[in-house]
Amino acid sequence: MQSSKPTHLKLLATAIMTVALGYVAQPAFAQDPGGSGTPQTSGPTGTPATTGDGGSADTTGAIRNGDQVDGGMAGTDANRDSIDAEDFIDEASAKGVAEIESAQKALEQSQNDQVRAFAERMIKDHAAANEKLAKLAADKGLEVSDEATLMDKAKTLILQARDGESFDAAYANNQVNAHEQTIELFERASRSEDAEIAAFARETLPKLKEHLEEARKLVEATPDT
């Protein structure tokens, strides 16, 4: 395994903080000029189905079938193998960027106080986690994705609301699925042979599980109409 170039890691860390700080500085919300408050949507989802290995998921999946909220953590298996440190940092960083991007959309398009409060927490918590991941990579001399590659990986995870779909409902669904996948990834990392990676994963898991529970409550609070 090659050592990372200093500029490589600086780009990653700078990109993460630029995204986070830029989003915190956004206006309270983007108001519809016509005053209707109708959120804009961006067309078909097109996101891939879950791979069971911490990969991409259909982030706007039908959680509400029969008005039932999926209370399980899909794909979680305590006996799954762990994950390589370099792969974990890449995947976790991409998921963090996707969380920040989706939360920014929520701040721009939603006027629901619960949705906006949740989105603000996602920006804060996932930016902090990604900053720690970048430092871990630098300290361990790991070669990780540069800014362009990281953003490309995140694109498949970022919320894309369907035409005619309530944005708030789509975001809530997105967050349940996204956090189920992220928890699965961190559960695998918690069994890593790399002690620092395992410790970071175990330290972060409780907060991710809090996010998941909050996202499930958000599903209940945002009717799909």
Side-chain angles (χ1 to χ4, degrees), residues 174-220:
N174 167 281
Q175 289 303 292
V176 170
N177 285 327
H179 280 91
E180 285 177 346
Q181 291 299 312
T182 300
I183 287 170
E184 179 185 357
L185 175 65
F186 274 71
E187 291 280 9
R188 293 174 64 197
S190 72
R191 297 187 289 275
S192 173
E193 293 181 359
D194 186 306
E196 290 175 294
I197 292 294
F200 171 76
R202 286 193 296 268
E203 175 188 337
T204 308
L205 272 167
K207 184 166 288 187
L208 292 173
K209 291 176 179 178
E210 285 179 16
H211 291 177
L212 177 58
E213 289 307 309
E214 288 179 14
R216 286 174 176 156
K217 291 176 183 176
L218 202 60
V219 168
E220 298 283 9

Side-chain angles (χ1 to χ4, degrees), residues 78-97:
N79 295 318
R80 289 186 66 86
D81 293 336
S82 62
I83 185 170
D84 176 77
E86 194 171 288
D87 290 341
F88 167 69
I89 289 176
D90 256 13
E91 288 192 41
S93 296
K95 287 179 183 296
V97 169

Side-chain angles (χ1 to χ4, degrees), residues 35-93:
S36 66
T38 303
Q40 298 179 349
T41 54
S42 54
T45 303
T47 48
T50 180
T51 60
D53 61 358
S56 305
D58 180 353
T59 54
T60 57
I63 290 180
R64 301 169 188 272
N65 289 346
D67 294 326
Q68 295 296 316
V69 177
D70 179 4
M73 285 170 41
T76 301
D77 181 351
N79 295 318
R80 289 186 66 86
D81 293 336
S82 62
I83 185 170
D84 176 77
E86 194 171 288
D87 290 341
F88 167 69
I89 289 176
D90 256 13
E91 288 192 41
S93 296

